[in-house]
Amino acid sequence: MKPAKNIATKLARAHIEAIVLICLAIFLSFASIHFDAFEEIMAFIAKYEEYEIDEILTLVIFMSIGFAIFAFRRFNDLKDEVEVSEKMQQQLLHASMHDALTTLPNRRHFDQDLTTKFGHYKTQPHLLAIVIIDLNRFKFINDCYGHQYGDEVLKTVAKRLLETLSNAHLAYRLGGDEFAIIIDDHANNERHLYRICHQISFEIEKPMLIQGIEIVCGSSIGVSIANEHCANIDDLMQQADNAMYYTKSNQLSHVSFYDSQMDEQRVFNRQIEVSLKQAITEQQLSLRYQPQFNRSNQIVSLEATVFWNHPALGVLPANKFLSVAESNGQINLIDYWCLEQACKDAQYWPDNTTLSLNISPHTFQRLNFIGELDSIIALTSFDNSRLTIQISEQLLIQKVKSKENSLSLLKQRGIHTVLNDFGTGYSSLLYLQKFDIETIKINREVINNITDKQQQAKMVKAIIDLANSLKISIIISGIGNQEQFQDWLNIGCEFFQGDFLSNSLSQAEILAIDDMNNLSAINCDIKNAGH
């Protein structure tokens, strides 16, 4: 930067000197005319001919012309140097304000733009919002596929953001797997902002084909809208961050708009993250099991759910801490603990009652997952045929070799697989056929989101018919009342689960059941065990 400034100074000085010289030349020309300088010079040369003054003057004239040509060329060289220097300055400035990988404006550019736009908002209030986007599972993608795939994911996300947003909205890469958007809109309202955010979420979640591998990378989006309570841009940024972390921990939505309760949620998540390390080492985790029933009201399986007996916060259900465990890499330890403890508990159940439990995608796709599973089964002497592993839809569509190997090895060992929450992602029955999935569990949200009862029945019936053609069993979860139970019975569902049929049970409550083939007797035994 400094050399360019020096060159520019020299060029400016050259301009001034040239103007001075031109003015001096004009002055001398007029003086020569006024005083007949040429005639006087010629007379002087003739008078002193013996000194060869005419040759000396001729030499001076030619030297002056030469110096003038040299000065002119040097002036142009300086001008070219300044132009090159200014171009380099522009390139350096652009590089300092943009991300080299995605070419999006970077954090520095974001801070400058936000400061300017927030100042305009203060003088003339309008819709000004920050959208923070954090990619889900990005660390796993880097670890599993390699950083070159992670870079391609970032570039693809950047491209999709640019394609989704209008010219009025600016996208930035803040660093790592975090992006931001500034919505500065005088013409639209918050409903428009809501549509933009959900469209962004939808576009990012579309599968990406990178070097022949299909990768799915979802997002957690937090939104903060400027209002009279935002004293400065730091407040606005903090609110957007809190909303994003709320989305990441909540897992019920891909987009969250900030409200004041999210501040408490972030503090809570931080407390969870700090104390989670002691959850296993100090034996603070426990399991409960929710029964799955067949059409004859018999318990056919018990699904394990982990709870955390937190010393300060009380009993926490899985949805309060598993998302934090996934984000900080502790989910593997929890999954393996649950698997070992559940296998130990299930040893005391009737032989015809299977154990079912969820394994996170991160754990399932680890190269040593099958080895760890074999070790736990050997340690507990558990019967492979009584074990069912539940996996997510997102895992199924990931084209990762370790996942395909694990599914194949599970089948070889006689371990059953269930696709959990079917209908909430991108999978289809073709995936089920390809990977030989034996059972699918239909998520309650898929059913409850259809308000028309007849449409609910038609959709479930269609899934059941297709599943039957592929010899795939179906579990309906979330049965909440007798009417729902009867409806699914009438449609032809095989297996059922929900609080209406039975709440989750402790190991002691399970062991107190005398007859697992009678739903009424089961509920009676559970009540007696509770007393």
Side-chain angles (χ1 to χ4, degrees), residues 393-394 396-397 419 422-432:
E393 266 193 314
Q394 192 178 57
L396 200 64
I397 60 177
L419 181 62
F422 180 78
T424 59
Y426 287 98
S427 68
S428 68
L429 291 174
L430 294 176
Y431 279 105
L432 307 184

Side-chain angles (χ1 to χ4, degrees), residues 51-256:
Y51 296 108
E52 297 182 350
I53 292 177
D54 55 341
E55 285 79 2
I56 295 173
L57 286 177
T58 302
L59 178 62
V60 169
I61 290 171
F62 279 113
M63 287 180 66
S64 298
I65 294 172
F67 280 126
I69 294 171
F70 173 78
F72 178 76
R73 289 176 60 84
R74 182 57 186 149
F75 178 81
N76 282 337
D77 289 342
L78 281 171
K79 186 177 179 181
D80 291 340
E81 288 179 23
V82 169
E83 289 176 354
V84 171
S85 178
E86 287 178 346
K87 187 175 182 180
M88 288 179 62
Q89 286 186 59
Q90 291 174 357
Q91 291 173 345
L92 289 171
L93 180 61
H94 184 275
S96 70
M97 302 289 279
H98 288 78
D99 174 55
L101 178 65
T102 64
T103 71
L104 290 178
N106 60 14
R107 180 63 181 254
R108 183 181 178 190
H109 202 316
F110 172 81
D111 290 339
Q112 289 188 6
D113 286 352
L114 183 58
T115 300
T116 301
K117 293 179 183 300
F118 190 76
H120 294 162
Y121 166 80
K122 284 295 187 181
T123 57
Q124 185 181 359
H126 57 279
L127 177 61
L128 176 64
I130 299 176
V131 181
I132 300 294
I133 304 165
D134 188 83
L135 302 184
N136 299 335
R137 302 177 64 255
F138 183 73
K139 182 179 183 302
F140 171 76
I141 291 171
N142 265 339
D143 294 343
C144 187
Y145 301 101
H147 288 279
Q148 68 273 23
Y149 285 86
D151 289 347
E152 290 301 319
V153 167
L154 293 174
K155 289 193 282 188
T156 301
V157 170
K159 181 181 178 183
R160 290 180 180 181
L161 288 176
L162 294 176
E163 291 173 348
T164 303
L165 297 172
S166 66
N167 293 331
H169 309 316
L170 303 175
Y172 307 79
R173 183 188 175 201
L174 301 186
D177 62 344
E178 192 170 65
F179 296 80
I181 298 168
I182 297 177
I183 304 294
D184 186 31
D185 203 325
H186 291 261
N188 292 293
N189 54 24
E190 293 181 17
R191 184 176 297 179
H192 172 69
L193 174 60
Y194 181 86
R195 286 196 301 268
I196 290 175
C197 293
H198 282 274
Q199 182 64 30
I200 289 170
S201 174
F202 176 77
E203 293 297 330
I204 292 176
E205 198 168 341
K206 286 181 179 178
M208 308 175 190
L209 188 63
I210 299 174
Q211 298 182 27
I213 296 178
E214 192 176 82
I215 297 175
V216 175
C217 182
S219 62
S220 297
I221 299 177
V223 186
S224 63
I225 303 174
N227 55 50
E228 64 274 11
H229 301 298
C230 293
N232 50 53
I233 59 174
D234 291 335
D235 290 345
L236 198 60
M237 275 297 297
Q238 186 64 60
Q239 291 175 4
D241 273 335
N242 289 354
M244 183 273 290
Y245 283 112
Y246 178 84
T247 306
K248 187 174 284 290
S249 63
N250 198 28
Q251 294 186 324
L252 295 178
S253 174
H254 299 294
V255 181
S256 298

Side-chain angles (χ1 to χ4, degrees), residues 4-21:
K5 186 176 180 181
N6 292 338
I7 293 172
T9 303
K10 290 179 181 178
L11 183 62
R13 189 167 62 241
H15 274 102
I16 296 172
E17 291 173 354
I19 293 171
V20 171
L21 289 173

Side-chain angles (χ1 to χ4, degrees), residues 444-461 483-484 487-488 491:
R444 76 183 81 180
E445 293 181 9
V446 176
I447 300 169
N448 295 340
N449 284 342
I450 303 176
T451 56
D452 185 274
K453 189 174 178 180
Q454 290 184 345
Q455 289 298 323
Q456 283 186 1
K458 288 179 181 178
M459 187 196 72
V460 176
K461 184 67 165 63
E483 183 181 6
Q484 289 180 2
D487 286 343
W488 307 138
I491 292 172

Side-chain angles (χ1 to χ4, degrees), residues 469-485:
S469 68
L470 297 173
K471 297 182 180 180
I472 294 173
S473 300
I474 291 181
I475 302 171
I476 299 293
S477 67
I479 301 296
N481 54 55
Q482 178 64 44
E483 183 181 6
Q484 289 180 2
F485 184 38

